Amino acid sequence: MGLARFTARLKRLAVRGGSKPGVDPDFSAHAVDLDSDRATNDPGAVYEALRKEGEVVYLPRNRLWLVLGHEETRAALSRADIFSNAPYRKFDHELLGADPPDHAAVRRLLAPCFAAPVVERLTQSVQGFVSDLPRGPFDLVSGLSRPFSELLGRELLGLDVDLVEAIRRAQTLSQTAANSLDDFNARLDELSAHAGILPALIAQGGGVLDPDRARRLIRFLWLASTNSSERLVTWLVTRLLRDPDLLAELAADRARVPAFVEEVLRLHPPEHIFLRLTTQDTVLGGQRIPGGSLVQLSVMAANRDPRVFDSPEIIRLDRSGSRHISFGHGIHHCIGAVLLRTAIVPLVTGLLDHADGMRAAEDLDQIPYSATRSVRVPARLMMYL
């Protein structure tokens, strides 16, 4: 690719990614609300505006400390004794919300679930999945990303097709229920009793996991694996549809697919934030944070830290090393990271076999997004393959 063409592409990509509102130049930590439409619709721009005030800032409207810097985020993730995962305990007490020493014991139990035979079986299933995809028009999210995520969860947890369909029905029903999340979680716990890995988890647990705890752990693994993979696939394909040059480049050189996956993970982490609770007074990024403080680690901002990444807003397939922290760091580094990476590469490679016909079936600047404080991802995108 010539220098002039490469420079033009950088300028074009820097402004792509969906219609986004601008951020006031004088945007301040004192005024920002991370749950506002402005922040959820364009979190990257808000984080960069706040970065001018420091890599660690206090947000009074959200009553939390926001960590933006790469070095500072890694430092917090490395100190589970000071930055506790306690904020997640209502959602998951077994793994995500656990601190040492309980956390390490559960991770050891789960290690066989992510071993080589599971990875190999999943890779074979992905190859068959791509060959069965429709050519279009179809919705990227409901027709590709979500079925792929369910395939991954099914293979990981030992679920049959009927059980996955029951989970899908429960999720649809919960969207109209008054206590939707509680109802859905309760139903997932019931269905988890039929997961193929349940007997092995209990047997290998040596008393660490009773049946109830094992079912809750399976529920968490289903939600974590399906949500993360669905969001990642959606962004991978969206970025290809937005950039025909990148699509052609990858189709011509499949060896660069892993680098593409890492760059999309860096720019669009499945979860934008990690929450922590300080167990004692501490200092981070030059700021003194009292014990008992809620801390929001912005993975998205850390992954775009200009001190670490040149041209941080741009997909560059020639970046050296994978320094993003989309899968976390330290003892809570995502246990399924290797499995997801291994499954995603053959999926993208298979999609590239249809690069000549891959295109959007609607205006990419008009597609709807699911946007919250922790997630921003296309909610629907009609496409051809």
Side-chain angles (χ1 to χ4, degrees), residues 214-384:
R215 284 195 295 269
R216 290 195 297 270
L217 184 58
I218 291 171
R219 179 239 296 171
F220 166 72
L221 290 173
W222 169 264
L223 292 173
S225 62
T226 54
N227 288 336
S228 295
S229 54
E230 179 179 323
R231 294 165 189 165
L232 176 56
V233 171
T234 299
W235 271 118
L236 285 164
V237 178
T238 299
R239 294 303 299 241
L240 290 176
L241 294 175
R242 284 193 175 280
D243 190 351
D245 289 342
L246 177 62
L247 176 59
E249 183 178 356
L250 289 169
D253 186 0
R254 311 295 175 87
R256 310 195 83 177
V257 168
F260 169 62
V261 172
E262 295 305 318
E263 278 289 87
V264 173
L265 274 168
R266 180 181 67 82
L267 287 168
H268 307 289
E271 290 282 339
H272 292 178
I273 63 172
F274 298 147
L275 293 176
R276 295 295 187 266
L277 186 71
T278 54
T279 60
Q280 63 186 59
D281 293 355
T282 189
V283 176
L284 184 67
Q287 297 282 2
R288 183 170 298 279
I289 303 176
S293 296
L294 185 63
V295 178
Q296 178 173 306
L297 306 176
S298 173
V299 182
M300 171 182 277
N303 287 346
R304 302 179 185 209
D305 189 337
R307 300 175 302 174
V308 178
F309 304 99
D310 294 332
S311 303
E313 299 296 326
I314 303 301
I315 288 180
R316 289 184 51 179
L317 304 181
D318 61 348
R319 290 192 194 275
S320 58
S322 174
R323 292 174 291 173
H324 70 74
I325 47 180
S326 295
F327 288 128
H329 177 69
I331 67 168
H332 282 283
H333 183 270
C334 176
I335 193 172
V338 172
L339 181 69
L340 182 55
R341 284 183 168 111
T342 304
I344 287 291
V345 169
L347 173 68
V348 175
T349 302
L351 293 174
L352 290 173
D353 290 337
H354 307 283
D356 290 343
M358 190 185 301
R359 67 188 190 280
E362 59 182 314
D363 185 346
L364 288 168
D365 289 331
Q366 300 299 320
I367 61 175
Y369 283 76
S370 295
T372 68
R373 186 194 298 189
S374 61
V375 175
R376 184 176 185 272
V377 65
R380 188 212 68 239
L381 199 170
M382 300 302 296
M383 63 173 289
Y384 291 94

Side-chain angles (χ1 to χ4, degrees), residues 116-269:
V118 179
V119 173
E120 182 178 354
R121 185 174 69 246
L122 180 59
T123 300
Q124 294 173 351
S125 298
V126 171
Q127 293 169 348
F129 173 83
V130 175
S131 64
D132 292 337
L133 286 173
R135 296 297 171 256
F138 66 94
D139 174 30
L140 163 62
V141 178
S142 63
L144 196 167
S145 304
R146 189 165 301 139
F148 173 81
S149 73
E150 292 173 347
L151 170 66
L152 189 152
R154 191 173 76 229
E155 294 288 350
L156 174 65
L157 302 175
L159 310 179
D160 60 34
V161 175
D162 291 340
L163 193 55
V164 172
E165 178 60 32
I167 294 174
R168 192 181 297 123
R169 288 196 303 269
Q171 186 168 16
T172 300
L173 182 62
S174 72
Q175 294 170 353
T176 61
N179 299 312
S180 57
L181 183 59
D182 291 341
D183 291 346
F184 182 47
N185 286 342
R187 181 59 175 149
L188 268 181
D189 286 348
E190 293 176 12
L191 296 171
S192 295
H194 305 285
I197 68 167
L198 181 64
L201 279 180
I202 296 173
Q204 296 168 7
V208 174
L209 289 180
D210 59 29
D212 287 341
R213 291 188 65 192
R215 284 195 295 269
R216 290 195 297 270
L217 184 58
I218 291 171
R219 179 239 296 171
F220 166 72
L221 290 173
W222 169 264
L223 292 173
S225 62
T226 54
N227 288 336
S228 295
S229 54
E230 179 179 323
R231 294 165 189 165
L232 176 56
V233 171
T234 299
W235 271 118
L236 285 164
V237 178
T238 299
R239 294 303 299 241
L240 290 176
L241 294 175
R242 284 193 175 280
D243 190 351
D245 289 342
L246 177 62
L247 176 59
E249 183 178 356
L250 289 169
D253 186 0
R254 311 295 175 87
R256 310 195 83 177
V257 168
F260 169 62
V261 172
E262 295 305 318
E263 278 289 87
V264 173
L265 274 168
R266 180 181 67 82
L267 287 168
H268 307 289

